Amino acid sequence: MADSYILRLPALEIKQGSRSIYCFAVDGKRLHEFAAVSRISRDDQEQLHGYQRPEVASHIRTIRRYLESGDAMLPNSIVLAFDGRVRFEPSTAERPGQDASPAYSTPGDLIVPVDETLTDEEKPAWIVDGQQRSAAIREADIGEFPVAAVAFIAEDETEQRAQFILVNNTKPLPKGLIHELLPDTKGHLPPSYARRQLPAVLMTRLNGTFNGPFYRAIATPTSAGGYIKDNSILKMIEHSLYEGALYQYRDPRDGSGDVEQMLLHLNSYWAIVREMFPEAWELPPKESRLTHGAGIQAMGFVMDHLTEQLPAYNVGTHVVRNALARIKRAAAWTSGSWDFGDGEERKWNSLQNTPSDVRYLTNGLIRVVDQQILF
């Protein structure tokens, strides 16, 4: 077989509004000749590449054993995203004895260029859904295994990411992966994802700000060494955007905002937090309640309380710094007990990431910064 050739796949084009999808069958053993899995990563400039989750080896082995059993069936379709190199040619042949196809359905062929010298990143198709199944078919000790496939033609990787999120919307897709993809995704999104898109943009920028307080500290699929939970950061940012200090930079009509001012505000405040509690800031949540979900959210509420009326360039002033310095006398981030003078003393690591514990810690810290508690 030549290194480069054209693969013609009999297909059915189905019109869905202004878009088209293509239904066809293909030998699963041949999928990887023209389709690749686009795994998520970031380059040195913090640009996102890819969108798929890592392959799950145990799941692939299970599917492979099933395929090799001799009586296997995979009825669910593989979903592919083609780029502009793939085209659809409608069929002109008559089909004797059959009525004409409905207006939304057209038989024909998908014309797929195959070049075995291309790297995965250069192939004309990406597997949006069915990564584990396609890997199992590729590795299984079988001659062929035809599968049903559904494909769409996307203009660029941004559109592919959007479709990936929507296709997997009803599945247990890892939330960390969704949060990583949201900043670079365009188009219609479910309301819950749309609400988190701007917080995800800010979180990603915080994690990539060199020398910033959160640089590489937030755990995401592309920052495996991070120790602060991404969901803790997202909750902190989301509340501030809708009800706190970051609201001043946000346009409530369309949800957009001045991202640079938001980042300056966040980095200025949390840099003071890191400066005040350097040891607690470097420890993982099990060893420090400052980097724990309860601490991140509570200190986020303190940020809103102290800086809601301040522009970003004033957040680092002595007023905020002095207020946070008062917390040092009450802090029990890594040892000791929290005692806010209300008769409810709590051991440092008894605080959990629950609404009641976050509220307890927030109320106590705000009383401290307002000097309602003297030490």
Side-chain angles (χ1 to χ4, degrees), residues 72-374:
M73 180 176 66
L74 296 179
N76 292 341
S77 298
I78 305 289
V79 180
L80 301 170
F82 287 125
D83 66 19
R85 288 173 287 178
V86 176
R87 70 182 192 276
F88 177 75
E89 287 188 357
S91 175
T92 58
E94 295 282 343
R95 293 183 297 165
Q98 294 191 17
D99 295 334
S101 299
Y104 55 78
S105 176
T106 305
D109 293 297
L110 280 170
I111 310 303
V112 183
V114 179
D115 186 342
E116 295 179 350
T117 67
L118 296 180
T119 64
D120 277 358
E121 290 75 16
E122 297 170 321
K123 291 178 180 179
W126 292 266
I127 298 174
V128 174
D129 188 45
Q131 174 188 6
Q132 267 67 274
R133 281 169 285 158
S134 65
I137 294 170
R138 179 185 58 199
E139 296 176 9
D141 186 17
I142 51 179
E144 66 175 11
F145 194 87
V147 294
V150 174
F152 59 92
I153 296 177
E155 294 298 324
D156 53 34
E157 197 170 270
T158 298
E159 183 181 355
Q160 292 161 12
R161 289 191 196 111
Q163 294 299 327
F164 173 71
I165 290 175
L166 293 171
V167 165
N168 289 280
N169 186 33
T170 60
K171 299 183 178 183
L173 195 64
K175 287 201 182 319
L177 177 57
I178 293 176
H179 298 155
E180 186 101 53
L181 293 171
L182 281 175
D184 298 276
T185 300
K186 297 179 182 178
H188 174 76
L189 290 170
S192 59
Y193 291 162
R195 181 181 172 93
R196 281 223 156 166
Q197 191 166 36
L198 183 53
V201 168
L202 294 168
M203 180 187 71
T204 300
R205 292 283 301 276
L206 289 173
N207 213 22
T209 302
F210 184 68
N211 283 336
F214 289 106
Y215 182 63
R216 293 285 189 262
I218 305 170
T220 69
T222 59
S223 182
Y227 53 92
I228 301 175
K229 297 288 187 182
D230 62 344
N231 201 46
S232 300
I233 301 297
L234 286 168
K235 284 183 177 180
M236 179 268 294
I237 295 174
E238 186 174 345
H239 177 272
S240 189
L241 279 170
Y242 285 90
E243 301 181 47
L246 299 182
Y247 182 86
Q248 61 184 304
Y249 313 113
R250 179 176 165 270
D251 186 340
R253 293 171 299 180
D254 60 10
S256 64
D258 190 333
V259 171
E260 299 307 320
Q261 288 300 300
M262 293 176 186
L263 288 170
L264 177 60
H265 199 119
L266 288 162
N267 278 321
S268 297
Y269 172 80
W270 288 97
I272 301 173
V273 174
R274 178 180 62 176
E275 177 186 329
M276 293 290 175
F277 310 102
E279 295 85 5
W281 188 256
E282 298 296 328
L283 295 174
K286 286 185 178 180
E287 301 174 40
S288 169
R289 279 310 183 258
L290 178 58
T291 57
H292 187 272
I296 292 293
Q297 290 182 75
M299 290 299 285
F301 285 121
V302 171
M303 177 188 75
D304 293 334
H305 178 73
L306 289 174
T307 68
E308 190 166 11
Q309 304 301 323
L310 291 179
Y313 59 81
N314 275 342
V315 170
T317 60
H318 69 280
V319 175
V320 176
R321 190 175 299 274
N322 290 343
L324 291 182
R326 289 194 285 274
I327 292 179
K328 293 188 72 171
R329 296 191 289 271
W333 297 122
T334 61
S335 63
S337 298
W338 295 97
D339 185 358
F340 296 118
D342 54 2
E344 187 182 357
E345 186 173 341
R346 299 282 299 274
K347 188 176 179 182
W348 76 272
N349 59 355
S350 69
L351 295 180
Q352 301 302 316
N353 192 14
T354 62
S356 60
D357 280 5
V358 171
R359 185 165 54 250
Y360 165 80
L361 184 56
T362 299
N363 292 340
L365 293 176
I366 288 177
R367 290 175 62 203
V368 169
V369 300
D370 286 351
Q371 295 186 313
Q372 295 174 9
I373 301 175
L374 299 178

